[in-house]
Amino acid sequence: MSQTSAILVSRENGVCTIVLNRPERMNAINRLLLRELRTAFRELWADDSVRAIVVTGSGEKAFCAGADLKERAEMTPNEVRLFLKEIRETMSEIENIPKPVIAAINGLALGGGTELALACDVRFAAEHAQMGLTETTLAIIPGAGGTQRLPRLVGKGRAKELIFSGRKVLAPEALQLGLIERFASSDQLLKAATDWARSVVDNTGPIAISQAKFAINRGLEVDLESGLALEAKAYEVTIPTTDRTEALRAFAEKRKPNYTGT
């Protein structure tokens, strides 16, 4: 395991785990954490040995309490604008990396913490976790994609209810709303998220996963006919791969396929 100032990064059996490591500040996002998180994801983009990524927080109290308001209070208005630009870009890079990203929400996830979870592909939460886009209670609005990703996930009306009120929701309600996909006990959360990630690594072709993610993400932004055309193009990418040939051969030979990402 390699340690940097604000995150911990480890790799095992094709799964990379990133731990936000500022427990003394509820894993809040400051300039340093944001810079290291963005660097880590850029490195993982090019790391073919990593097929899935799990993001979680240090400890059991907080996944990420949002922006570090102590640091934010010391910023000039222009510095705030530049910080928001960087955090928006980082969330988009997380969303668009051609590998599945799983949020293991181990506690409080407010503001930018919920926005980080929204940028991930799949969200697991501990039973005691709380989520919320609480920015309006601070006289601002979600600025790292929350106003756009939340309604795409839970619907426009529910997103407005949550953002306008700034209220927090516990994991059971988050599951009911579609804000998370699964929840688990706090002592089993990281294992559940990692096991799911490893099942993707062990049972699927990496090119197929990247193209499926591309088709889903981009297809949601266009009309159905255009989305179907995107799907057709994404499928076309998989046809000449050796992984597809290997899958057919393994099926005929009644064995597990050995995917290489080619």
Side-chain angles (χ1 to χ4, degrees):
M1 177 176 285
S2 61
Q3 182 171 1
T4 58
S5 298
I7 65 173
L8 300 170
V9 181
S10 61
R11 294 168 171 83
E12 185 178 359
N13 299 326
V15 177
C16 177
T17 302
I18 296 176
V19 181
L20 310 183
N21 191 43
R22 300 187 68 225
E24 75 286 354
R25 297 293 298 164
M26 304 287 278
N27 302 318
I29 302 171
N30 65 352
R31 288 186 177 103
L32 178 62
L33 187 147
L34 183 61
R35 182 168 63 249
E36 292 182 356
L37 187 64
R38 192 172 193 180
T39 297
F41 269 89
R42 287 181 171 181
E43 291 175 354
L44 290 168
W45 192 294
D47 187 348
D48 292 337
S49 70
V50 171
R51 296 262 322 278
I53 303 160
V54 176
V55 181
T56 193
S58 178
E60 295 184 358
K61 291 184 178 180
F63 170 69
C64 174
D68 188 326
L69 296 182
K70 183 177 180 181
E71 181 185 75
R72 180 72 62 85
E74 298 173 352
M75 293 182 182
T76 66
N78 194 52
E79 286 174 332
V80 172
R81 293 184 186 97
L82 292 173
F83 182 80
L84 286 172
K85 179 177 183 292
E86 185 174 359
I87 196 170
R88 278 194 297 268
E89 291 172 350
T90 301
M91 297 303 174
S92 292
E93 289 184 19
I94 292 171
E95 182 177 46
N96 292 320
I97 192 170
K99 306 174 185 190
V101 183
I102 303 92
I105 305 163
N106 55 302
L108 203 63
L110 300 181
T114 287
E115 289 177 303
L116 173 58
L118 290 172
C120 298
D121 298 299
V122 179
R123 286 151 291 277
F124 285 61
E127 289 176 319
H128 70 283
Q130 292 187 66
M131 303 178 70
L133 293 178
T134 54
E135 287 89 345
T136 53
T137 66
L138 297 170
I140 55 175
I141 70 169
T147 65
Q148 302 306 303
R149 293 189 178 97
L150 185 62
R152 284 167 168 80
L153 190 65
V154 304
K156 183 168 69 172
R158 285 175 173 172
K160 287 182 177 179
E161 189 273 323
L162 290 170
I163 292 172
F164 291 178
S165 67
R167 73 181 181 91
K168 308 175 188 72
V169 298
L170 291 168
E173 184 181 0
L175 181 66
Q176 182 182 31
L177 291 171
L179 184 53
I180 63 172
E181 282 66 51
R182 299 187 187 182
F183 69 86
S185 60
S186 59
D187 62 335
Q188 292 296 311
L189 174 68
L190 187 57
K191 182 180 185 301
T194 302
D195 285 351
W196 186 88
R198 189 156 292 128
S199 73
V200 173
V201 172
D202 291 343
N203 297 302
T204 65
I207 296 174
I209 292 296
S210 68
Q211 291 304 308
K213 179 171 178 174
F214 171 81
I216 293 167
N217 284 358
R218 292 293 176 268
L220 282 172
E221 310 304 321
V222 299
D223 60 86
L224 178 59
E225 184 176 357
S226 299
L228 291 171
L230 281 170
E231 179 185 80
K233 290 183 178 179
Y235 194 112
E236 186 69 28
V237 173
T238 69
I239 292 176
T241 63
T242 57
D243 280 350
R244 188 182 75 89
T245 304
E246 165 64 7
L248 296 173
R249 186 181 297 114
F251 178 80
E253 296 173 359
K254 298 182 179 179
R255 60 174 175 81
K256 185 177 179 178
N258 179 29
Y259 296 130
T260 61
T262 58

